[in-house]
Amino acid sequence: MKHGGDLTQAMAEFGGAADEWLDLSTGINPWPWPIRKLPDSAWQRLPSRADEQALLAAARAAYRVPEAAGIVAAPGTQALIQLLPRLAVDGAVAIVGPTYNEHSAAWSDAGHAIAAIKDLSELPAHVTHAVIVNPNNPDGRVTDPDRLVEVAAVLQRRGGWLVIDEAFADVDAHISAVASCGKLPIVILRSFGKFYGLAGIRLGFAIGTPDVVNGIRHVLGPWAVSGPALSIGARALNDAPWAMQTRVRLAAQVIKLDGILLNAGFEVVGGTSLYRLARHPEAAALHRRLAQKYIWCRSFDWSREMLRFGLPHDAEALDRLAAALAP
Amino acid sequence: MKHGGDLTQAMAEFGGAADEWLDLSTGINPWPWPIRKLPDSAWQRLPSRADEQALLAAARAAYRVPEAAGIVAAPGTQALIQLLPRLAVDGAVAIVGPTYNEHSAAWSDAGHAIAAIKDLSELPAHVTHAVIVNPNNPDGRVTDPDRLVEVAAVLQRRGGWLVIDEAFADVDAHISAVASCGKLPIVILRSFGKFYGLAGIRLGFAIGTPDVVNGIRHVLGPWAVSGPALSIGARALNDAPWAMQTRVRLAAQVIKLDGILLNAGFEVVGGTSLYRLARHPEAAALHRRLAQKYIWCRSFDWSREMLRFGLPHDAEALDRLAAALAP
């Protein structure tokens, strides 16, 4: 499968209705920030500049964006992934992988040659840009901020960008390289939907030097983000207590997931508290067995031994996974 | 002002809180389609292909898209306006105006020379593309479908496109040129938010030949439209009785608006049942007088005598406008 989170393919192949499936194919927090009531105006009128400014102020505080850096909101990080390679200067791009496959697709589409590398230390001399997902999806590897700054400085001399996709960085406030934004040619992508459990609203951010951010804003045009996303995003990003409690709650739940995977003979090789990457010699057969029991996890075309599991949302879901994996 | 629908500027200049203002600066239906309850999954999970297919099926039926044509959904028509000039082959574009100013900005930005024309009959020999808003915003002028087909055939020989922005075409099912899509290089834009009164959700469509539509879909990437927009759009576009009643209701209300404008000495020079364009020798002073009474209508940089009024939503709002315009 190409992406997590779409049961359409799973249901076509294995049957069942959407509500019969336990979907563990994504890295989306299963306990969403509580939306409660939205003002009617969020649906009915065009989003205003004041709405957008309120969202960006909340995002600046939540992500600790330095004053020297700019920030722009988009209808999902994916929209930014599509757009960045078209705004970047010509030149090859190194992509640290295996990782989320849309980066490579978008840069290739925009005419950049791709150099697939395993670690930033292997940065080829001919590349102008680099892309890293940090923490990485699916293996959760975290790259040291000092190393990121070093690479950004190298790319600055080549006139290029270091794109850091921090889609899963909310789980630990120490991971982000945002403090270095604004001085160096670093473009950070932040995804709202994953940590806040609201992937359907489509909200993401790019943080970078003011000229890069203004270029993105210009190409996105006015009213890029929906009224509900502006309203929910501003309130949720201002809710620091919820974020803190959620970090703790996710960390506790993923330990329970680890226990189930270890009991079933998996080796847990990485991940974040929103998903785990696990190795098993019979991974392909287990993926199929789980699907026959309407449990959907993520498999990969680059390994037959790896599966990625999102967080089961309650004790019943944990038990269901454990039972399905029992020999 | 550059756009309607943003009270931020009005409040900065004239004071008042958002809920004290009567906002007549947009062409958005003041009686939105009733959303009622949304499934939690629309917020929480990534939109699925099945969700998108359901929306597109509803849009095909509502807009009467012929089988030979393709259709793609975007997070608002504005996103499509930004994107189309970047996908179009090089060459100058004729834009029929005065009209919605974002078309010219986007084509110019993408490097196309602009020829501003007053009527499609003036199509210059050197242009490759043409853009027309039909019915036009702000004057409501409707161009005959046969004329549109003629021009599309001319542009086909030049390898170009005829872009028809049908943002306000829902008010009359006979206006659309959609029947000619698929055969000729016509790209039609449809806006969901205006007629359905839900501009905040960001939903628009492009209809055209399958290759053009697939090119747009590819550049937009996955999950371009939010879960709430997919769910609401599919249900609303399937609600033919609501659309029929709304056409009648808008037509009745705009007659009341006309009466108020005529009484106040305006000449109503055009519009649709979602807005009226009206001329008054003292338009600039009246715009200011209305703003001081927290009524916001639209003025234009190309005429000091023209104002555009959206629909007041009830009798009280009609009376308030009438009183504010009384000498």
Side-chain angles (χ1 to χ4, degrees), chain A residues 259-288:
Chain A
I260 290 170
L261 295 174
L262 292 170
N263 269 340
F266 280 92
E267 175 196 1
V268 176
V269 295
T272 69
S273 59
L274 285 163
Y275 56 84
R276 285 303 202 223
L277 184 69
R279 179 187 284 126
H280 194 291
E282 305 298 327
L286 286 170
H287 184 262
R288 190 170 179 82

PDB file of all heavy atoms in Angstrom, chain A residues 259-288:
ATOM      1  N   GLY A 259       4.532  -4.061  24.219  1.00  0.00           N
ATOM      2  CA  GLY A 259       4.374  -5.340  24.919  1.00  0.00           C
ATOM      3  C   GLY A 259       3.679  -6.367  24.046  1.00  0.00           C
ATOM      4  O   GLY A 259       4.111  -7.534  23.957  1.00  0.00           O
ATOM      5  N   ILE A 260       2.632  -5.955  23.375  1.00  0.00           N
ATOM      6  CA  ILE A 260       1.888  -6.872  22.502  1.00  0.00           C
ATOM      7  C   ILE A 260       2.765  -7.353  21.357  1.00  0.00           C
ATOM      8  O   ILE A 260       2.787  -8.539  21.015  1.00  0.00           O
ATOM      9  CB  ILE A 260       0.617  -6.169  21.978  1.00  0.00           C
ATOM     10  CG1 ILE A 260      -0.376  -5.984  23.131  1.00  0.00           C
ATOM     11  CG2 ILE A 260      -0.004  -6.946  20.831  1.00  0.00           C
ATOM     12  CD1 ILE A 260      -1.551  -5.099  22.788  1.00  0.00           C
ATOM     13  N   LEU A 261       3.514  -6.417  20.756  1.00  0.00           N
ATOM     14  CA  LEU A 261       4.357  -6.783  19.612  1.00  0.00           C
ATOM     15  C   LEU A 261       5.476  -7.726  20.050  1.00  0.00           C
ATOM     16  O   LEU A 261       5.761  -8.727  19.372  1.00  0.00           O
ATOM     17  CB  LEU A 261       4.932  -5.517  18.959  1.00  0.00           C
ATOM     18  CG  LEU A 261       3.880  -4.581  18.326  1.00  0.00           C
ATOM     19  CD1 LEU A 261       4.534  -3.285  17.840  1.00  0.00           C
ATOM     20  CD2 LEU A 261       3.153  -5.272  17.164  1.00  0.00           C
ATOM     21  N   LEU A 262       6.088  -7.452  21.187  1.00  0.00           N
ATOM     22  CA  LEU A 262       7.161  -8.318  21.693  1.00  0.00           C
ATOM     23  C   LEU A 262       6.622  -9.712  21.993  1.00  0.00           C
ATOM     24  O   LEU A 262       7.224 -10.725  21.606  1.00  0.00           O
ATOM     25  CB  LEU A 262       7.792  -7.703  22.950  1.00  0.00           C
ATOM     26  CG  LEU A 262       8.581  -6.408  22.716  1.00  0.00           C
ATOM     27  CD1 LEU A 262       8.964  -5.754  24.037  1.00  0.00           C
ATOM     28  CD2 LEU A 262       9.830  -6.673  21.863  1.00  0.00           C
ATOM     29  N   ASN A 263       5.465  -9.775  22.632  1.00  0.00           N
ATOM     30  CA  ASN A 263       4.833 -11.068  22.931  1.00  0.00           C
ATOM     31  C   ASN A 263       4.558 -11.878  21.679  1.00  0.00           C
ATOM     32  O   ASN A 263       4.554 -13.106  21.704  1.00  0.00           O
ATOM     33  CB  ASN A 263       3.497 -10.853  23.657  1.00  0.00           C
ATOM     34  CG  ASN A 263       3.686 -10.835  25.161  1.00  0.00           C
ATOM     35  OD1 ASN A 263       4.688 -11.341  25.653  1.00  0.00           O
ATOM     36  ND2 ASN A 263       2.733 -10.251  25.867  1.00  0.00           N
ATOM     37  N   ALA A 264       4.287 -11.171  20.580  1.00  0.00           N
ATOM     38  CA  ALA A 264       3.944 -11.859  19.325  1.00  0.00           C
ATOM     39  C   ALA A 264       5.200 -12.190  18.524  1.00  0.00           C
ATOM     40  O   ALA A 264       5.098 -12.639  17.385  1.00  0.00           O
ATOM     41  CB  ALA A 264       2.991 -10.995  18.505  1.00  0.00           C
ATOM     42  N   GLY A 265       6.373 -11.951  19.100  1.00  0.00           N
ATOM     43  CA  GLY A 265       7.610 -12.330  18.415  1.00  0.00           C
ATOM     44  C   GLY A 265       8.204 -11.245  17.534  1.00  0.00           C
ATOM     45  O   GLY A 265       9.142 -11.511  16.777  1.00  0.00           O
ATOM     46  N   PHE A 266       7.656 -10.027  17.604  1.00  0.00           N
ATOM     47  CA  PHE A 266       8.242  -8.929  16.843  1.00  0.00           C
ATOM     48  C   PHE A 266       9.450  -8.359  17.589  1.00  0.00           C
ATOM     49  O   PHE A 266       9.495  -8.364  18.823  1.00  0.00           O
ATOM     50  CB  PHE A 266       7.237  -7.773  16.691  1.00  0.00           C
ATOM     51  CG  PHE A 266       6.213  -7.976  15.613  1.00  0.00           C
ATOM     52  CD1 PHE A 266       4.978  -8.562  15.910  1.00  0.00           C
ATOM     53  CD2 PHE A 266       6.459  -7.563  14.318  1.00  0.00           C
ATOM     54  CE1 PHE A 266       4.019  -8.733  14.926  1.00  0.00           C
ATOM     55  CE2 PHE A 266       5.496  -7.727  13.331  1.00  0.00           C
ATOM     56  CZ  PHE A 266       4.273  -8.316  13.631  1.00  0.00           C
ATOM     57  N   GLU A 267      10.380  -7.814  16.811  1.00  0.00           N
ATOM     58  CA  GLU A 267      11.413  -6.945  17.366  1.00  0.00           C
ATOM     59  C   GLU A 267      10.990  -5.512  17.050  1.00  0.00           C
ATOM     60  O   GLU A 267      10.744  -5.173  15.886  1.00  0.00           O
ATOM     61  CB  GLU A 267      12.748  -7.262  16.690  1.00  0.00           C
ATOM     62  CG  GLU A 267      13.881  -6.327  17.119  1.00  0.00           C
ATOM     63  CD  GLU A 267      15.088  -6.413  16.164  1.00  0.00           C
ATOM     64  OE1 GLU A 267      15.017  -7.184  15.178  1.00  0.00           O
ATOM     65  OE2 GLU A 267      16.066  -5.691  16.404  1.00  0.00           O
ATOM     66  N   VAL A 268      10.857  -4.694  18.094  1.00  0.00           N
ATOM     67  CA  VAL A 268      10.479  -3.299  17.858  1.00  0.00           C
ATOM     68  C   VAL A 268      11.747  -2.531  17.501  1.00  0.00           C
ATOM     69  O   VAL A 268      12.647  -2.372  18.329  1.00  0.00           O
ATOM     70  CB  VAL A 268       9.782  -2.690  19.089  1.00  0.00           C
ATOM     71  CG1 VAL A 268       9.493  -1.211  18.851  1.00  0.00           C
ATOM     72  CG2 VAL A 268       8.483  -3.436  19.376  1.00  0.00           C
ATOM     73  N   VAL A 269      11.835  -2.064  16.253  1.00  0.00           N
ATOM     74  CA  VAL A 269      13.102  -1.477  15.791  1.00  0.00           C
ATOM     75  C   VAL A 269      13.091   0.052  15.814  1.00  0.00           C
ATOM     76  O   VAL A 269      14.121   0.678  15.592  1.00  0.00           O
ATOM     77  CB  VAL A 269      13.484  -1.965  14.369  1.00  0.00           C
ATOM     78  CG1 VAL A 269      13.748  -3.460  14.394  1.00  0.00           C
ATOM     79  CG2 VAL A 269      12.403  -1.627  13.364  1.00  0.00           C
ATOM     80  N   GLY A 270      11.939   0.651  16.070  1.00  0.00           N
ATOM     81  CA  GLY A 270      11.921   2.119  16.117  1.00  0.00           C
ATOM     82  C   GLY A 270      10.512   2.646  16.134  1.00  0.00           C
ATOM     83  O   GLY A 270       9.547   1.907  16.330  1.00  0.00           O
ATOM     84  N   GLY A 271      10.418   3.969  15.927  1.00  0.00           N
ATOM     85  CA  GLY A 271       9.109   4.604  15.911  1.00  0.00           C
ATOM     86  C   GLY A 271       9.096   5.811  16.817  1.00  0.00           C
ATOM     87  O   GLY A 271      10.132   6.276  17.302  1.00  0.00           O
ATOM     88  N   THR A 272       7.904   6.343  17.005  1.00  0.00           N
ATOM     89  CA  THR A 272       7.670   7.430  17.950  1.00  0.00           C
ATOM     90  C   THR A 272       6.515   6.957  18.827  1.00  0.00           C
ATOM     91  O   THR A 272       6.033   5.828  18.662  1.00  0.00           O
ATOM     92  CB  THR A 272       7.249   8.728  17.229  1.00  0.00           C
ATOM     93  OG1 THR A 272       5.935   8.543  16.691  1.00  0.00           O
ATOM     94  CG2 THR A 272       8.212   9.079  16.098  1.00  0.00           C
ATOM     95  N   SER A 273       6.039   7.813  19.700  1.00  0.00           N
ATOM     96  CA  SER A 273       4.905   7.381  20.525  1.00  0.00           C
ATOM     97  C   SER A 273       3.589   7.422  19.731  1.00  0.00           C
ATOM     98  O   SER A 273       2.533   7.114  20.270  1.00  0.00           O
ATOM     99  CB  SER A 273       4.808   8.207  21.801  1.00  0.00           C
ATOM    100  OG  SER A 273       4.644   9.568  21.490  1.00  0.00           O
ATOM    101  N   LEU A 274       3.636   7.768  18.438  1.00  0.00           N
ATOM    102  CA  LEU A 274       2.434   7.703  17.597  1.00  0.00           C
ATOM    103  C   LEU A 274       2.404   6.459  16.706  1.00  0.00           C
ATOM    104  O   LEU A 274       1.377   6.154  16.102  1.00  0.00           O
ATOM    105  CB  LEU A 274       2.317   8.962  16.727  1.00  0.00           C
ATOM    106  CG  LEU A 274       1.849  10.217  17.476  1.00  0.00           C
ATOM    107  CD1 LEU A 274       2.152  11.480  16.677  1.00  0.00           C
ATOM    108  CD2 LEU A 274       0.362  10.138  17.806  1.00  0.00           C
ATOM    109  N   TYR A 275       3.507   5.752  16.606  1.00  0.00           N
ATOM    110  CA  TYR A 275       3.554   4.527  15.788  1.00  0.00           C
ATOM    111  C   TYR A 275       4.823   3.770  16.143  1.00  0.00           C
ATOM    112  O   TYR A 275       5.769   4.346  16.696  1.00  0.00           O
ATOM    113  CB  TYR A 275       3.539   4.841  14.284  1.00  0.00           C
ATOM    114  CG  TYR A 275       4.657   5.762  13.861  1.00  0.00           C
ATOM    115  CD1 TYR A 275       5.933   5.276  13.580  1.00  0.00           C
ATOM    116  CD2 TYR A 275       4.447   7.129  13.767  1.00  0.00           C
ATOM    117  CE1 TYR A 275       6.965   6.117  13.225  1.00  0.00           C
ATOM    118  CE2 TYR A 275       5.476   7.989  13.417  1.00  0.00           C
ATOM    119  CZ  TYR A 275       6.735   7.474  13.138  1.00  0.00           C
ATOM    120  OH  TYR A 275       7.766   8.324  12.793  1.00  0.00           O
ATOM    121  N   ARG A 276       4.836   2.476  15.842  1.00  0.00           N
ATOM    122  CA  ARG A 276       6.027   1.654  16.043  1.00  0.00           C
ATOM    123  C   ARG A 276       6.345   0.902  14.770  1.00  0.00           C
ATOM    124  O   ARG A 276       5.440   0.394  14.101  1.00  0.00           O
ATOM    125  CB  ARG A 276       5.791   0.646  17.162  1.00  0.00           C
ATOM    126  CG  ARG A 276       5.825   1.213  18.557  1.00  0.00           C
ATOM    127  CD  ARG A 276       7.129   1.910  18.872  1.00  0.00           C
ATOM    128  NE  ARG A 276       7.366   1.999  20.304  1.00  0.00           N
ATOM    129  CZ  ARG A 276       7.823   3.093  20.921  1.00  0.00           C
ATOM    130  NH1 ARG A 276       8.081   4.203  20.230  1.00  0.00           N
ATOM    131  NH2 ARG A 276       8.020   3.083  22.224  1.00  0.00           N
ATOM    132  N   LEU A 277       7.627   0.811  14.462  1.00  0.00           N
ATOM    133  CA  LEU A 277       8.112  -0.026  13.372  1.00  0.00           C
ATOM    134  C   LEU A 277       8.636  -1.316  13.992  1.00  0.00           C
ATOM    135  O   LEU A 277       9.438  -1.269  14.935  1.00  0.00           O
ATOM    136  CB  LEU A 277       9.232   0.686  12.614  1.00  0.00           C
ATOM    137  CG  LEU A 277       9.756  -0.052  11.372  1.00  0.00           C
ATOM    138  CD1 LEU A 277       8.696  -0.078  10.262  1.00  0.00           C
ATOM    139  CD2 LEU A 277      11.041   0.610  10.859  1.00  0.00           C
ATOM    140  N   ALA A 278       8.164  -2.444  13.477  1.00  0.00           N
ATOM    141  CA  ALA A 278       8.516  -3.720  14.099  1.00  0.00           C
ATOM    142  C   ALA A 278       8.882  -4.746  13.032  1.00  0.00           C
ATOM    143  O   ALA A 278       8.298  -4.758  11.946  1.00  0.00           O
ATOM    144  CB  ALA A 278       7.350  -4.225  14.951  1.00  0.00           C
ATOM    145  N   ARG A 279       9.870  -5.588  13.375  1.00  0.00           N
ATOM    146  CA  ARG A 279      10.370  -6.581  12.429  1.00  0.00           C
ATOM    147  C   ARG A 279       9.923  -7.973  12.863  1.00  0.00           C
ATOM    148  O   ARG A 279       9.942  -8.309  14.048  1.00  0.00           O
ATOM    149  CB  ARG A 279      11.892  -6.533  12.373  1.00  0.00           C
ATOM    150  CG  ARG A 279      12.501  -7.572  11.394  1.00  0.00           C
ATOM    151  CD  ARG A 279      14.027  -7.626  11.485  1.00  0.00           C
ATOM    152  NE  ARG A 279      14.640  -6.487  10.832  1.00  0.00           N
ATOM    153  CZ  ARG A 279      15.514  -5.661  11.409  1.00  0.00           C
ATOM    154  NH1 ARG A 279      15.866  -5.847  12.666  1.00  0.00           N
ATOM    155  NH2 ARG A 279      16.020  -4.637  10.743  1.00  0.00           N
ATOM    156  N   HIS A 280       9.542  -8.766  11.866  1.00  0.00           N
ATOM    157  CA  HIS A 280       9.167 -10.158  12.123  1.00  0.00           C
ATOM    158  C   HIS A 280       9.450 -10.930  10.839  1.00  0.00           C
ATOM    159  O   HIS A 280       9.113 -10.455   9.758  1.00  0.00           O
ATOM    160  CB  HIS A 280       7.673 -10.252  12.476  1.00  0.00           C
ATOM    161  CG  HIS A 280       7.263 -11.557  13.073  1.00  0.00           C
ATOM    162  ND1 HIS A 280       7.244 -12.730  12.363  1.00  0.00           N
ATOM    163  CD2 HIS A 280       6.863 -11.883  14.336  1.00  0.00           C
ATOM    164  CE1 HIS A 280       6.841 -13.710  13.148  1.00  0.00           C
ATOM    165  NE2 HIS A 280       6.613 -13.226  14.350  1.00  0.00           N
ATOM    166  N   PRO A 281      10.075 -12.111  10.953  1.00  0.00           N
ATOM    167  CA  PRO A 281      10.389 -12.860   9.714  1.00  0.00           C
ATOM    168  C   PRO A 281       9.130 -13.198   8.910  1.00  0.00           C
ATOM    169  O   PRO A 281       9.199 -13.327   7.687  1.00  0.00           O
ATOM    170  CB  PRO A 281      11.098 -14.127  10.217  1.00  0.00           C
ATOM    171  CG  PRO A 281      10.929 -14.152  11.703  1.00  0.00           C
ATOM    172  CD  PRO A 281      10.619 -12.762  12.152  1.00  0.00           C
ATOM    173  N   GLU A 282       7.985 -13.305   9.590  1.00  0.00           N
ATOM    174  CA  GLU A 282       6.742 -13.644   8.898  1.00  0.00           C
ATOM    175  C   GLU A 282       5.841 -12.422   8.742  1.00  0.00           C
ATOM    176  O   GLU A 282       4.610 -12.544   8.713  1.00  0.00           O
ATOM    177  CB  GLU A 282       5.981 -14.732   9.676  1.00  0.00           C
ATOM    178  CG  GLU A 282       6.779 -15.996   9.950  1.00  0.00           C
ATOM    179  CD  GLU A 282       7.189 -16.688   8.652  1.00  0.00           C
ATOM    180  OE1 GLU A 282       6.404 -16.614   7.685  1.00  0.00           O
ATOM    181  OE2 GLU A 282       8.310 -17.247   8.608  1.00  0.00           O
ATOM    182  N   ALA A 283       6.435 -11.245   8.648  1.00  0.00           N
ATOM    183  CA  ALA A 283       5.641 -10.003   8.645  1.00  0.00           C
ATOM    184  C   ALA A 283       4.564 -10.002   7.555  1.00  0.00           C
ATOM    185  O   ALA A 283       3.418  -9.611   7.798  1.00  0.00           O
ATOM    186  CB  ALA A 283       6.560  -8.792   8.495  1.00  0.00           C
ATOM    187  N   ALA A 284       4.922 -10.458   6.351  1.00  0.00           N
ATOM    188  CA  ALA A 284       3.960 -10.410   5.241  1.00  0.00           C
ATOM    189  C   ALA A 284       2.736 -11.273   5.555  1.00  0.00           C
ATOM    190  O   ALA A 284       1.593 -10.857   5.332  1.00  0.00           O
ATOM    191  CB  ALA A 284       4.634 -10.858   3.947  1.00  0.00           C
ATOM    192  N   ALA A 285       2.984 -12.482   6.106  1.00  0.00           N
ATOM    193  CA  ALA A 285       1.874 -13.376   6.447  1.00  0.00           C
ATOM    194  C   ALA A 285       1.036 -12.788   7.588  1.00  0.00           C
ATOM    195  O   ALA A 285      -0.201 -12.884   7.584  1.00  0.00           O
ATOM    196  CB  ALA A 285       2.409 -14.754   6.834  1.00  0.00           C
ATOM    197  N   LEU A 286       1.714 -12.148   8.552  1.00  0.00           N
ATOM    198  CA  LEU A 286       0.984 -11.548   9.674  1.00  0.00           C
ATOM    199  C   LEU A 286       0.136 -10.355   9.205  1.00  0.00           C
ATOM    200  O   LEU A 286      -0.980 -10.157   9.686  1.00  0.00           O
ATOM    201  CB  LEU A 286       1.964 -11.103  10.765  1.00  0.00           C
ATOM    202  CG  LEU A 286       2.566 -12.255  11.592  1.00  0.00           C
ATOM    203  CD1 LEU A 286       3.707 -11.754  12.466  1.00  0.00           C
ATOM    204  CD2 LEU A 286       1.479 -12.916  12.450  1.00  0.00           C
ATOM    205  N   HIS A 287       0.662  -9.588   8.265  1.00  0.00           N
ATOM    206  CA  HIS A 287      -0.107  -8.462   7.718  1.00  0.00           C
ATOM    207  C   HIS A 287      -1.414  -8.974   7.128  1.00  0.00           C
ATOM    208  O   HIS A 287      -2.489  -8.404   7.353  1.00  0.00           O
ATOM    209  CB  HIS A 287       0.727  -7.735   6.650  1.00  0.00           C
ATOM    210  CG  HIS A 287       0.065  -6.518   6.088  1.00  0.00           C
ATOM    211  ND1 HIS A 287      -0.619  -6.523   4.886  1.00  0.00           N
ATOM    212  CD2 HIS A 287      -0.049  -5.263   6.575  1.00  0.00           C
ATOM    213  CE1 HIS A 287      -1.102  -5.311   4.659  1.00  0.00           C
ATOM    214  NE2 HIS A 287      -0.772  -4.523   5.661  1.00  0.00           N
ATOM    215  N   ARG A 288      -1.318 -10.086   6.418  1.00  0.00           N
ATOM    216  CA  ARG A 288      -2.493 -10.686   5.793  1.00  0.00           C
ATOM    217  C   ARG A 288      -3.448 -11.272   6.846  1.00  0.00           C
ATOM    218  O   ARG A 288      -4.662 -11.100   6.763  1.00  0.00           O
ATOM    219  CB  ARG A 288      -2.013 -11.781   4.833  1.00  0.00           C
ATOM    220  CG  ARG A 288      -3.100 -12.303   3.958  1.00  0.00           C
ATOM    221  CD  ARG A 288      -2.606 -13.203   2.833  1.00  0.00           C
ATOM    222  NE  ARG A 288      -3.792 -13.624   2.120  1.00  0.00           N
ATOM    223  CZ  ARG A 288      -4.398 -12.894   1.196  1.00  0.00           C
ATOM    224  NH1 ARG A 288      -3.892 -11.730   0.841  1.00  0.00           N
ATOM    225  NH2 ARG A 288      -5.510 -13.314   0.627  1.00  0.00           N
TER     226      ARG A 288
END
